[in-house]
Amino acid sequence: MNFKWNHNELTADQQRVATELGGKLGITPVLAEILVRRGITTEESARNFFRPQLTNLLDPFMMKDMDIAVDRLNTAIGRKERIMVYGDYDVDGCTAVALVYKFLMQFYSNVEYYIPDRYDEGYGVSYKGIDYAKEQGVKLIIILDCGIKAIKEIEYAKEQGIDFIICDHHVPDEVMPPAVAILNPKREDDTFPCKHLCGCGVGFKFMQAFAYNNGIPFSRLAHLLDFVAVAISADMVPVVEENRILAYHGLKQLNNNPSIGLKAIIDICGLNGRELSMSDIVFKIGPRINASGRVESGRESVDLLVERDFNTALKEAKRLNGYNDLRRDIDKQMTEEANNIVARIESQKKHKAIVLYDESWKKGVVGIVASRLTEIYFRPTVVLTRDGDLATGSARSIAGFDVYSAIKSCRDLMVNFGGHTYAAGLTLRWKDVPAFRDRFQKYVEEHIMPEQTEALLDIDAQIDFKDITHRFHNELKRFGPFGPMNAKPLFMTTGVYDFGTSKVVGREQEHIKLELVDSKSNNVMNGIAFGQSGSVRYIKSKRAFDIAYTIEDNVFKHGDIQLQIEDIRPGEIE
């Protein structure tokens, strides 16, 4: 991919604020400038940014229907009703179910959990799930990370004498289900300030309100924040405001005293003995939780997350690891097939969106393939597979483009759809797929901005290797947790050279392991450039080049720093 590097100098006013802020905080000017770029301009806001406090969490009763939801849960417990905690089969849904179930089980035992089967029941509330709840004598279902579109299903449940409390974060329709309470910060009539909570985050706020209402110490809930951090990371919600506080303290819990199920996954991933980051969740922990729902049943992930015995959890984690290996093989094959289709279809080259469908593709992996294609081609992408007379699949988007609205514009063709700005799921009749493809592509072409189709790297600062000290790196870590709207700072250094030892590495010789020296300080830095082996010939030509990179711990050499190179381009020494 050819990136466009975007690096804007601070204005004179911004530079003045950064200088004052850096002096008050005692941090390097470069890091003070990065704070200002992120809208942090006062000493107080900077201290809150670097040390998020749980005492600054928003009052959960600010959320619409929260008082109703708490009253209904109190009534259920008072009447000794059976409660079902029901959730989606992805990471967000499974962690949400685990959090609510584990919290309630501290005080009330007449609770069970339910995860629908992706292949048998599909996404969200299913009639099969409601019928099962009826058989079990369930009177209240708390549904997490889905349910906001389940109008007919919840009407059916109501006829069976079952109430619903919805905890969702996907965009609602104009008409919402007849639930007792709907907790969703994206409701148009909801004034809750943080609109970007994940499903597990909404579940957490519900339990926070229930605890407050019943005089339960917050500590009985706080130890479950590791689940919220995992959900925030895996669901890629913005790591700002409320989410930053939850992610910060959830990561602390994950590092210091994780739940037994997560500890087992950490063991299986080989992450013991190192400080875990949001990236570790995204690339290691999250995929293993997701894998059971993609390959077998998402319930297995919840079974693991609520397990109390470590040896049993370890066995379950090994099983999920096997599912993840299988998922990777399927993912790789489908991505290759999809890439070949894109390469063959000349018409795709002129479109600003990709819509692909194949009867043989596995339903549980289409979302991953859509993500891969979006990253490769930098266009909104929909990938569909066949399920009887229906087509079902996933959509992924690029920065700044609302793929949910694009699908909504074709709602007359939809059997079902849901999601948010950057990710959505959809189901339509198989015979309508060509019409959907044409209309979706037309909508994207009419609404996407030219700059959204460019692969951009937003550079935070231009520095030299002499600036990269251990102190600088340690201060930089305080900017975490990193994620959407708080990306890891990206730096550029111009006029660097191969020190003479750079080489291609990897199973397929696709990466470059680098030793670099810059022309200004003669300092040597180690780096890794994933998937950029095509640049090695230029690097070995002894000519100068520029690099854009993040600064990381070297996990193989404790205490060492290495650069993770995001892009390499020919350059001139300034």
Side-chain angles (χ1 to χ4, degrees):
M1 182 181 292
N2 294 317
F3 287 101
K4 179 180 177 181
W5 295 17
N6 181 32
H7 177 51
N8 298 317
E9 297 292 338
L10 294 183
T11 66
D13 282 346
Q14 287 176 320
Q15 190 62 62
R16 176 184 53 76
V17 171
T19 301
E20 291 176 2
L21 193 58
K24 291 175 181 176
L25 298 173
I27 60 175
T28 61
V30 169
L31 297 179
E33 290 171 13
I34 295 173
L35 281 177
V36 171
R37 286 184 187 278
R38 296 182 185 209
I40 299 162
T41 58
T42 67
E43 186 177 1
E44 182 183 4
S45 62
R47 295 196 188 282
N48 286 334
F49 177 79
F50 285 134
R51 295 185 68 104
Q53 300 295 313
L54 288 170
T55 51
N56 289 335
L57 286 174
L58 295 167
D59 179 354
F61 287 98
M62 295 169 70
M63 193 177 293
K64 181 79 173 175
D65 279 5
M66 186 62 80
D67 53 343
I68 302 171
V70 170
D71 284 347
R72 182 62 185 90
L73 180 53
N74 283 334
T75 299
I77 293 173
R79 292 176 179 169
K80 296 183 169 52
E81 293 176 349
R82 186 150 186 81
I83 299 169
M84 175 183 282
V85 184
Y86 187 125
D88 189 18
Y89 36 62
D90 69 359
V91 178
D92 193 11
C94 289
T95 52
V97 168
L99 182 147
V100 172
Y101 176 80
K102 286 189 76 170
F103 179 72
L104 291 179
M105 284 292 287
Q106 295 177 89
F107 321 102
Y108 185 68
S109 61
N110 198 10
V111 185
E112 65 174 296
Y113 55 86
Y114 188 90
I115 303 291
D117 184 279
R118 183 191 295 263
Y119 298 97
D120 183 36
E121 298 170 74
Y123 171 79
V125 185
S126 72
Y127 290 106
K128 180 179 178 180
I130 294 168
D131 288 341
Y132 172 79
K134 175 71 173 176
E135 291 168 10
Q136 298 302 307
V138 170
K139 293 296 182 182
L140 174 64
I141 295 178
I142 300 169
I143 188 160
L144 297 137
D145 193 34
C146 54
I148 199 65
K149 296 269 186 101
I151 295 173
K152 291 181 180 178
E153 293 85 352
I154 292 178
E155 283 176 349
Y156 174 73
K158 200 172 178 182
E159 292 168 2
Q160 310 303 311
I162 299 171
D163 285 339
F164 265 80
I165 295 172
I166 296 174
C167 302
D168 205 350
H169 70 125
H170 297 100
V171 178
D173 270 342
E174 289 78 13
V175 178
M176 292 190 290
V180 171
I182 298 176
L183 307 178
N184 187 333
K186 290 192 176 75
R187 288 178 61 164
E188 286 190 4
D189 58 350
D190 195 328
T191 57
F192 191 75
C194 181
K195 300 295 182 184
H196 304 298
L197 291 173
C198 60
C200 188
V202 178
F204 175 86
K205 297 305 289 186
F206 182 20
M207 294 301 98
Q208 183 189 2
F210 173 78
Y212 179 81
N213 182 261
N214 287 278
I216 298 167
F218 183 74
S219 59
R220 303 290 293 272
L221 177 61
H223 73 278
L224 299 172
L225 277 168
D226 51 355
F227 291 137
V228 187
V230 169
I232 287 170
S233 303
D235 223 52
M236 302 296 284
V237 293
V239 189
V240 295
E241 303 165 345
E242 189 95 338
N243 282 342
R244 180 170 175 80
I245 300 172
L246 295 171
Y248 178 88
H249 289 278
L251 267 180
K252 284 179 70 174
Q253 184 71 32
L254 192 67
N255 278 289
N256 297 330
N257 188 24
S259 67
I260 286 170
L262 288 175
K263 188 176 188 310
I265 298 175
I266 290 166
D267 254 39
I268 292 299
C269 294
L271 295 173
N272 273 326
R274 55 179 279 192
E275 185 177 354
L276 301 175
S277 68
M278 301 288 265
S279 292
D280 292 317
I281 297 171
V282 171
F283 295 109
K284 299 283 188 180
I285 297 171
R288 284 161 174 81
I289 297 173
N290 251 336
S292 70
R294 296 189 188 283
V295 177
E296 287 292 334
S297 166
R299 183 181 175 92
E300 291 185 50
S301 288
V302 181
D303 291 343
L304 169 60
L305 294 175
V306 302
E307 180 56 55
R308 296 179 179 182
D309 177 73
F310 182 70
N311 289 328
T312 303
L314 209 52
K315 290 175 186 174
E316 293 173 347
K318 287 177 181 175
R319 187 162 60 249
L320 294 196
N321 198 51
Y323 294 155
N324 191 52
D325 289 341
L326 177 59
R327 186 273 308 165
R328 278 192 297 208
D329 291 341
I330 297 168
D331 164 21
K332 183 178 180 183
Q333 178 188 339
M334 284 175 56
T335 301
E336 287 175 358
E337 290 174 3
N339 270 322
N340 289 336
I341 293 171
V342 173
R344 284 201 310 271
I345 302 174
E346 283 295 315
S347 63
Q348 288 285 4
K349 294 179 180 177
K350 69 181 181 183
H351 290 301
K352 292 184 171 66
I354 295 172
V355 180
L356 298 181
Y357 44 99
D358 189 289
E359 295 188 27
S360 66
W361 286 344
K362 197 168 178 67
K363 191 192 297 186
V365 189
V366 291
I368 298 174
V369 176
S371 294
R372 297 269 191 273
L373 294 175
T374 302
E375 292 167 5
I376 294 168
Y377 297 102
F378 214 70
R379 284 179 276 180
T381 300
V382 178
V383 178
L384 299 161
T385 187
R386 188 164 187 168
D387 184 7
D389 293 332
L390 300 176
T392 183
S394 293
R396 297 293 184 268
S397 195
I398 55 177
F401 184 79
D402 187 349
V403 75
Y404 177 84
S405 294
I407 294 170
K408 189 176 180 180
S409 73
C410 309
R411 67 182 308 156
D412 57 299
L413 298 175
M414 296 294 115
V415 173
N416 193 15
F417 72 101
H420 42 79
T421 304
Y422 296 121
L426 62 159
T427 302
L428 64 157
R429 290 175 290 276
W430 183 257
K431 66 182 180 63
D432 289 335
V433 169
F436 166 74
R437 177 198 59 207
D438 294 343
R439 284 174 54 184
F440 179 84
Q441 288 177 334
K442 186 173 186 236
Y443 180 95
V444 174
E445 286 167 9
E446 289 174 352
H447 291 83
I448 202 164
M449 304 298 289
E451 60 270 20
Q452 291 173 333
T453 63
E454 294 181 307
L456 287 177
L457 287 179
D458 287 317
I459 307 293
D460 286 278
Q462 181 172 340
I463 61 175
D464 300 321
F465 287 172
K466 65 176 170 40
D467 299 316
I468 306 173
T469 63
H470 283 285
R471 179 191 169 190
F472 182 85
H473 184 39
N474 287 333
E475 288 180 348
L476 194 60
K477 289 180 184 178
R478 297 171 63 202
F479 279 72
F482 299 112
M485 292 179 67
N486 186 46
K488 189 169 286 187
L490 189 65
F491 301 98
M492 65 180 284
T493 300
T494 60
V496 304
Y497 293 89
D498 173 29
F499 191 59
T501 51
S502 299
K503 59 183 179 182
V504 292
V505 295
R507 185 180 301 173
E508 298 175 12
Q509 300 286 283
E510 67 271 42
H511 315 308
I512 314 175
K513 191 174 186 303
L514 298 147
E515 276 196 322
L516 303 173
V517 60
D518 74 348
S519 56
K520 295 178 183 175
S521 63
N522 290 323
N523 287 25
V524 179
M525 291 296 304
N526 293 314
I528 183 76
F530 293 111
Q532 298 184 59
S533 58
S535 297
V536 75
R537 183 174 295 177
Y538 186 90
I539 289 169
K540 301 302 286 185
S541 71
K542 298 184 178 179
R543 286 179 286 178
F545 52 96
D546 304 336
I547 54 172
Y549 57 90
T550 58
I551 301 171
E552 312 286 346
D553 286 316
N554 188 330
V555 296
F556 300 107
K557 292 183 180 178
H558 183 69
D560 277 12
I561 298 171
Q562 78 170 4
L563 312 182
Q564 183 165 313
I565 314 295
E566 299 298 325
D567 197 26
I568 299 167
R569 69 181 187 187
E572 297 294 334
I573 303 173
E574 294 182 351

